[in-house]
Amino acid sequence: MEHFNDIYQRASARHGGEAILNTLIASPLASAEELAAIPDDRWLSSFTMSLFQSGFVWRVIRNKWPEFERAFFGFDPEKMLMLDESHFERLNNDTGIVRHAKKIAAVPANARMILDLGQPYGGFGAFVAQWPKEDITGLWMMIKKHGQLLGGNIGPYGLRRLGVDTFAFTGDVSAYLHHHQVVEAGLGSKKGMQQAQAAFNVWHQQSGASLTEISKTIAYSIG
């Protein structure tokens, strides 16, 4: 496995030097206290944005997001659990949002996930805040298991948007991990995720960089 410094130097050489690379990979992260203070509705909003962006033009979803917030009552998890067939019919005919019945139906299920996982900690943010970054893929799997349609990069992107330190299996990162034989199993499998996690933990120890910065550096080292 390559030492992180070799990856960093290659990325730096390909993108105009360390100063430029550091600007490209800079990622503000939230502290544990800041994560714990994020209300449940913002977590549900973030996961839902990632869900609707999956397989769609991200910019379109971002531009429509105020309408999503309106249509889903600000993503209040308790209100989402009260949606009935008439509400689903209204949402599936709401021209202000992207009408996708399967994704719309997943929102109440993910509201339940957020409430259930957060309940013992006083909120989902506190649940996320106590999770060790050395096992961030374990958090991905927990969210996928208890939520709906939150597999792949949907969970990680939803977390990262709110300041959680996490890598993501973008096309470039996935290509690197396979090409350099960092992982043997598929990245959608538990074994593949654990192998990737182990590698990112080593690179973090070598560099002191965040998982997010490491992930972006790997992406910039390719091409």
Side-chain angles (χ1 to χ4, degrees):
M1 193 172 79
E2 281 191 297
H3 194 285
F4 182 74
N5 187 58
D6 295 330
I7 301 171
Y8 178 85
Q9 292 302 325
R10 184 169 63 250
S12 175
R14 288 178 173 171
H15 292 277
E18 293 187 11
I20 293 176
L21 178 63
N22 290 341
T23 299
L24 292 173
I25 67 173
S27 302
L29 301 175
S31 66
E33 292 76 15
E34 289 169 333
L35 290 174
I38 297 173
D40 287 349
D41 62 272
R42 293 304 86 201
W43 294 102
L44 183 57
S45 175
S46 187
F47 286 133
T48 305
M49 178 180 281
S50 293
L51 173 58
F52 274 86
Q53 285 179 329
S54 179
F56 206 77
V57 180
W58 286 28
R59 173 175 44 81
V60 172
I61 301 300
R62 285 197 300 268
N63 290 343
K64 285 180 172 285
W65 204 247
E67 288 297 303
F68 275 86
E69 291 282 348
R70 171 196 56 77
F72 287 94
F73 305 104
F75 292 99
D76 182 325
E78 297 285 357
K79 291 181 180 178
M80 292 302 95
L81 297 184
M82 297 172 64
L83 296 183
D84 57 20
E85 289 303 318
S86 65
H87 284 106
F88 284 118
E89 183 177 357
R90 176 182 59 79
L91 289 167
N92 284 309
N93 288 283
D94 191 330
T95 59
I97 66 174
V98 172
R99 291 164 290 176
H100 190 298
K102 192 174 182 180
K103 292 182 178 182
I104 288 171
V107 176
N110 294 330
R112 171 55 65 192
M113 176 270 293
I114 285 171
L115 291 172
D116 287 349
L117 293 182
Q119 193 279 328
Y121 301 89
F124 188 79
F127 162 73
V128 172
Q130 58 81 44
W131 197 279
K133 71 164 57 179
E134 295 80 12
D135 182 36
I136 198 66
T137 56
L139 179 57
W140 298 0
M141 289 186 279
M142 181 70 74
I143 290 169
K144 178 183 177 181
K145 176 181 177 181
H146 293 275
Q148 190 168 310
L149 303 182
L150 295 180
N153 279 324
I154 296 173
Y157 281 145
L159 293 168
R160 182 184 279 183
R161 184 178 293 108
L162 294 181
V164 178
D165 186 17
T166 180
F167 51 91
F169 294 145
T170 63
D172 286 338
V173 172
S174 298
Y176 176 91
L177 295 175
H178 284 299
H179 179 73
H180 289 267
Q181 299 180 327
V182 175
V183 297
E184 301 169 352
L187 290 174
S189 69
K190 181 178 180 180
K191 181 179 180 181
M193 288 187 190
Q194 290 175 335
Q195 289 174 335
Q197 179 77 70
F200 273 87
N201 289 347
V202 170
W203 288 322
H204 173 67
Q205 292 168 359
Q206 291 172 347
S207 66
S210 69
L211 299 179
T212 306
E213 292 169 335
I214 294 168
S215 185
K216 290 183 176 181
T217 302
I218 289 173
Y220 282 117
S221 76
I222 294 177

